[in-house]
Amino acid sequence: MPTSTVLLCCVVLIQLFAGQTDARSSSPWQTLSGGAPLVIARGGFSGLFPDSSSAAYGFAVQTSVPGAVLWCDVQLTKDGAAICFPDLKLNNASTVEYFYPNRQKSYPVNGVSTQGWFTIDFSLSDLSNVYLLRGILSRTEKFDGRYPILTVEYVTTQIKPESFWLNVQHDAFYEQQNLSMSNFLISASRIVSINYISSPEVNFFTKIAGRLRRNGPIYVFQFLRKEDIEPTTNRTYGSILSNLTFVKTFASGILVPKSYILPLDDKQYLVPPPPKSLVQDAHEAGLQVYVSGFANDIDIAHDYSSDPVSEYLSFVDNGNFSVDGVLSDFPLTASSSIDCFSHLGENAIKQGIDFLVISKNGASGDYPGCTDLAYDKAIKDGADVIDCSVQMSSDGVPFCSRSIDLSNSTMISQTPFAQRSTLVPEISSNGGIYTFSLTWAEIRNLTTAIGNPYRSYAMFRNPNKKNSGKLILLSEFLNLARNSTSLSGVLISVENAVYLREKQGLDVVKAVLDTLTETGYSNGTTKTKVMIQSTNSSVLVEFKKQSKYEAVYKVDEKISDISDSAIEDIKKCANAVVIGKESVFSLLDSFITRQTNVVEKLQKSKLPVYVELFQNEFVSQPYDFFSDPTVEINSYILGAGINGTITEFPFTAARYRRNRCLGTQETLPPYMAPVEPGSLLQAVNAIPPAQAPNPVFTDDDVTEPPLPPVAAKSPTSTPGDSFTNAQAPRPSGQTRLTLSLRFSVFASLLLLWISSPLCS
């Protein structure tokens, strides 16, 4: 070849390589190709529907980004048919044992004797009567037994995925049973499109090397647990990981668990990453990196505050690397994370969605509620309004605490103050250690305690910070808000005013008004809007008489409708309304049945509607929201049109307003469309049984007599003495202390039980 020709070829190659480098460097994605990470739907939308069912695959296609990959764990039957099923054993996720109760067998699998109903003991015809079940029992059973087992051919020809991934988990096992997975793949590749093939067995890739079409599938080596043994090399997967150049000889990519890239410590917190990540090492070796283990309805690192979008972003948009794909049971969340929430940056603008993000006791999902740390984080996380639930100490000092019962918000039950437990029927049928039983000097040094509303599910919030932060005075709260440049307002919640006036001689209304005046809110020198919230119209009327602050009426019940007369009465005392989530969307067995007209009626009367309580934990949401707090927020904002969210996790709501899919696309993508109420129940032809609807809210629920005058305060009691009108006489001495402690423990347990979702 002439020298000039060689030089020309070199120049062309250099230009081509430079073009690829420029394309990657100009891309916001730090993947190997420079393109967006793949969304890989494991068994379809298997977080909701049975894995590998027609519904799971179809719903994944409908709700994911274009180009999403459908994942099939391919298994072989006795007659060599290839099916999509998540395991070698059919009994793990199907009705096989009900139809064939006597066909259980044992086989060695990776050297371990394993018992069950194996696919190799059934023909495809045998499986025609077998239906799919959910493989994870915590997921809904509504879709069990409705969908048949699918063949690989059916998925490719009938569902027609844009991209298809076959995972071969047990090639060696099938070979031992005289069934050839490689022969199936070779024949199938002639008639169906296979884009990716993965396996945890090196020998499998050796057998199929060069036997599929030239522009055939991408081969991906799957890593199991680091201590597991790879059968071909007899080495641990952890040791193979140190030799990625070896993996590159037979695969173009690797599939690893999340912990390979971002490991957790024994408390479920992220371990500080090494200077150079596995993703960067793999990319340098020319290997794509795919990550498995994503699901919305499992415990994730506490660092993510139970927010699955935050977890995805830590793998695809962390400033250091982007993985090349995520394998998810909830591909809708993966899709929105990548397409809507990636590369926003801290200064991303709001996308024209006008609603308030109102904290609930600050960022109380991350820190003990109503503490300095909870409020600081709420402001940092983007809340528009921070809130203070005002309580009164025995010496008349107003401060912020999420409960009038200090045993709910502090560790007081473990202190000598536990003996001040008392029964106040006007407040609760359970005993409590109330704020008005202690002076502020006694309260201010109590150790705070984070709320754990889902303790019964063994779900605990931020354990490393469960006792961090201190309670603050109302004046400190107001000064904090006034000095913030990002807040638009404060919400001050006032409850139990009647009892405090009549029985404790404490005027919470006057205390709040005086503190607002002392901190400069009454003279117009601050732009921070003040909202006063109460479930009592009499409280709001009293504030209206003495000030011009905005009043917010809270409907403390689940309602199905509201009468016009009730709305008129509310308008006499309030400028806005707070209602619960179930007063917007009615629920049955954790499914949405319908949308009420409460929001529409209130807004037609010029009353903004704020809704509580938004939480990130998946158990707090109906199945319709796919265990994704962002989907829930989206459905209340775009679907129901509410004016504000009251949330324990302000960051999630504030980030939602900045997502690109709300402002840069003419039509909403399916993963950002609000949920249609009742659609999931309709999907399974489930007709809700007759049930008593939530009550209609009427004017009788609003109208109250005026607040009573403030009674003369009783003489100060010594610690442990009974409080006037608060309780019946009790035994003295050790017996009284024992009873109080028992009452306190019983009350705490009962309150936990009442607050759990099982009782809601």
Side-chain angles (χ1 to χ4, degrees):
M1 183 181 294
T3 302
S4 59
T5 303
V6 173
L7 289 172
L8 178 62
C9 291
C10 290
V11 170
V12 171
L13 287 172
I14 290 171
Q15 289 177 337
L16 285 173
F17 180 76
Q20 291 176 350
T21 303
D22 290 343
R24 183 178 173 189
S25 62
S26 63
S27 168
W29 297 107
Q30 294 175 287
T31 56
L32 185 62
S33 67
L38 284 178
V39 173
I40 309 160
R42 192 187 72 84
F45 207 119
S46 56
L48 180 64
F49 300 99
D51 191 308
S52 304
S53 64
S54 56
Y57 282 131
F59 199 62
V61 171
Q62 294 170 14
T63 59
S64 301
V65 289
V69 183
L70 294 191
W71 166 287
C72 164
D73 285 295
V74 61
Q75 315 294 345
L76 297 178
T77 63
K78 180 168 62 176
D79 48 350
I83 60 173
C84 292
F85 194 82
D87 196 79
L88 277 173
K89 298 189 297 179
L90 291 163
N91 52 298
N92 285 347
S94 81
T95 59
V96 66
E97 57 187 299
Y98 302 104
F99 284 96
Y100 303 105
N102 301 318
R103 293 178 67 172
Q104 185 179 22
K105 290 188 177 181
S106 293
Y107 290 96
V109 179
N110 294 333
V112 179
S113 179
T114 307
Q115 195 173 47
W117 284 256
F118 287 79
T119 62
I120 59 171
D121 293 321
F122 299 86
S123 67
L124 188 60
S125 177
D126 291 335
L127 297 180
S128 61
N129 293 323
V130 176
Y131 288 83
L132 296 167
L133 303 174
R134 69 196 190 284
I136 298 176
L137 294 179
S138 61
R139 293 173 176 172
T140 178
E141 79 288 353
K142 292 288 186 184
F143 305 103
D144 282 356
R146 293 177 176 270
Y147 307 105
I149 295 172
L150 304 180
T151 63
V152 170
E153 182 179 1
Y154 180 94
V155 175
T156 57
T157 59
Q158 300 301 312
I159 298 175
K160 300 177 180 178
E162 193 171 333
S163 196
F164 195 40
W165 186 311
L166 291 182
N167 181 52
V168 180
Q169 197 74 11
H170 296 286
D171 176 65
F173 172 81
Y174 287 113
E175 188 173 40
Q176 292 166 5
Q177 310 306 320
N178 297 317
L179 291 168
S180 176
M181 188 67 76
S182 55
N183 286 346
F184 156 73
L185 291 172
I186 292 165
S187 60
S189 65
R190 301 189 184 105
I191 56 175
V192 301
S193 177
I194 304 171
N195 304 92
Y196 298 85
I197 296 177
S198 60
S199 177
E201 299 178 6
V202 173
N203 190 53
F204 166 76
F205 293 103
T206 304
K207 290 191 295 183
I208 63 172
R211 300 182 65 186
L212 302 184
R213 52 189 172 85
R214 171 173 287 183
N215 296 320
I218 294 171
Y219 295 154
V220 179
F221 181 60
Q222 181 184 12
F223 283 81
L224 304 182
R225 294 178 303 178
K226 289 184 178 181
E227 65 271 19
D228 288 345
I229 302 295
E230 194 284 315
T232 307
T233 61
N234 203 32
R235 295 169 57 192
T236 65
Y237 287 97
S239 66
I240 295 175
L241 192 67
S242 64
N243 190 0
L244 292 176
T245 54
F246 165 67
V247 177
K248 180 61 178 173
T249 62
F250 60 85
S252 299
I254 57 175
L255 173 65
V256 298
K258 293 184 297 185
S259 60
Y260 272 52
I261 298 172
L262 296 177
L264 307 181
D265 63 21
D266 56 0
K267 290 185 177 181
Q268 286 289 102
Y269 286 92
L270 292 172
V271 173
K276 193 176 181 184
S277 74
L278 167 61
V279 178
Q280 293 164 315
D281 288 337
H283 284 172
E284 287 182 2
L287 290 166
Q288 294 176 320
V289 182
Y290 305 97
V291 186
S292 64
F294 289 94
N296 295 358
D297 56 353
I298 59 174
D299 274 344
I300 57 178
H302 293 297
D303 310 70
Y304 304 129
S305 299
S306 300
D307 183 351
V309 171
S310 292
E311 182 183 40
Y312 282 109
L313 293 178
S314 71
F315 284 86
V316 302
D317 180 26
N318 60 32
N320 295 314
F321 61 81
S322 299
V323 300
D324 299 277
V326 291
L327 178 61
S328 175
D329 292 11
F330 292 83
L332 179 147
T333 302
S335 296
S336 68
S337 299
I338 292 169
D339 192 38
C340 304
F341 293 104
S342 294
H343 308 123
L344 291 181
E346 292 185 2
N347 298 318
I349 61 172
K350 300 175 184 177
Q351 297 293 339
I353 303 298
D354 185 22
F355 72 96
L356 288 178
V357 176
I358 305 171
S359 75
K360 182 68 172 181
N361 304 316
S364 55
D366 294 303
Y367 291 98
C370 294
T371 60
D372 54 342
L373 295 182
Y375 289 128
D376 287 342
K377 190 170 194 304
I379 295 170
K380 179 183 177 183
D381 286 349
D384 301 302
V385 177
I386 58 173
D387 70 305
C388 169
S389 297
V390 176
Q391 312 299 341
M392 297 290 287
S393 64
S394 63
D395 50 345
V397 178
F399 66 99
C400 303
S401 176
R402 64 184 173 91
S403 174
I404 194 172
D405 182 357
L406 290 166
S407 62
N408 292 332
S409 57
T410 71
M411 303 299 291
I412 193 170
S413 59
Q414 298 181 17
T415 73
F417 295 127
Q419 65 181 315
R420 301 195 195 179
S421 176
T422 186
L423 181 63
V424 182
E426 295 93 334
I427 297 176
S428 173
S429 58
N430 307 301
I433 310 171
Y434 293 103
T435 61
F436 49 77
S437 301
L438 286 81
T439 66
W440 171 243
E442 293 170 324
I443 292 170
R444 70 182 310 156
N445 294 320
L446 292 174
T447 300
T448 56
I450 200 167
N452 283 303
Y454 302 107
R455 182 186 299 269
S456 61
Y457 293 90
M459 298 177 68
F460 298 93
R461 292 174 170 177
N462 201 4
N464 280 358
K465 301 295 182 181
K466 64 181 180 180
N467 301 121
S468 298
K470 63 177 183 177
L471 296 175
I472 63 174
L473 295 168
L474 175 60
S475 59
E476 293 174 317
F477 166 83
L478 291 172
N479 286 328
L480 174 68
R482 188 180 59 182
N483 294 330
S484 168
T485 58
S486 60
L487 290 176
S488 63
V490 294
L491 185 147
I492 299 172
S493 178
V494 177
E495 300 295 340
N496 303 303
V498 172
Y499 172 81
L500 290 173
R501 280 191 169 200
E502 286 187 330
K503 302 298 177 67
Q504 296 297 328
L506 296 170
D507 190 348
V508 63
V509 173
K510 183 178 186 300
V512 169
L513 289 172
D514 288 349
T515 307
L516 284 165
T517 299
E518 292 164 5
T519 50
Y521 280 79
S522 64
N523 57 16
T525 60
T526 175
K527 295 181 179 180
T528 307
K529 181 171 68 173
V530 175
M531 296 187 284
I532 307 294
Q533 174 189 289
S534 183
T535 57
N536 298 114
S537 61
S538 57
V539 170
L540 299 181
V541 168
E542 190 71 19
F543 273 101
K544 283 275 190 180
K545 287 179 182 178
Q546 302 185 49
S547 69
K548 295 182 179 180
Y549 302 123
E550 185 172 309
V552 180
Y553 183 77
K554 180 178 177 180
V555 179
D556 208 21
E557 307 143 53
K558 300 173 186 176
I559 61 174
S560 61
D561 199 353
I562 185 168
S563 69
D564 293 339
S565 58
I567 294 175
E568 289 305 311
D569 280 356
I570 290 173
K571 290 180 69 176
K572 294 175 184 176
C573 66
N575 311 97
V577 179
V578 170
I579 59 176
K581 291 191 299 186
E582 285 193 49
S583 296
V584 181
F585 294 120
S586 298
L587 301 184
L588 175 68
D589 295 336
S590 295
F591 282 88
I592 295 174
T593 57
R594 70 183 188 96
Q595 181 177 332
T596 72
N597 64 352
V598 175
V599 173
E600 180 184 6
K601 291 178 74 171
L602 289 168
Q603 290 176 340
K604 280 184 177 179
S605 296
K606 309 300 182 184
L607 287 169
V609 181
Y610 311 130
V611 175
E612 69 172 27
L613 177 63
F614 288 86
Q615 301 167 310
N616 283 2
E617 290 92 349
F618 68 89
V619 293
S620 71
Q621 302 141 18
Y623 290 115
D624 305 68
F625 298 138
F626 316 126
S627 303
D628 184 342
T630 299
V631 173
E632 180 178 46
I633 292 168
N634 186 55
S635 295
Y636 276 89
I637 299 300
L638 291 187
I642 67 173
N643 302 100
T645 60
I646 300 176
T647 173
E648 295 178 332
F649 296 88
F651 177 82
T652 302
R655 184 191 57 206
Y656 164 77
R657 293 187 298 199
R658 298 183 288 122
N659 89 73
R660 293 193 312 273
C661 294
L662 295 177
T664 60
Q665 304 186 27
E666 292 183 5
T667 58
L668 287 173
Y671 36 87
M672 198 44 63
V675 168
E676 182 181 347
S679 58
L680 276 187
L681 283 179
Q682 294 172 11
V684 293
N685 299 316
I687 301 174
Q691 60 174 341
N694 290 329
V696 176
F697 200 71
T698 68
D699 51 344
D700 290 338
D701 298 305
V702 181
T703 305
E704 294 178 344
L707 285 178
V710 180
K713 189 169 176 59
S714 59
T716 303
S717 304
T718 57
D721 288 345
S722 61
F723 292 92
T724 304
N725 294 324
Q727 62 182 35
R730 298 176 299 179
S732 59
Q734 185 61 41
T735 304
R736 180 177 63 187
L737 176 59
T738 302
L739 287 174
S740 297
L741 288 172
R742 287 178 179 174
F743 225 169
S744 178
V745 171
F746 173 76
S748 299
L749 291 173
L750 189 57
L751 282 170
L752 283 172
W753 179 80
I754 290 172
S755 64
S756 75
L758 297 176
C759 304
S760 60

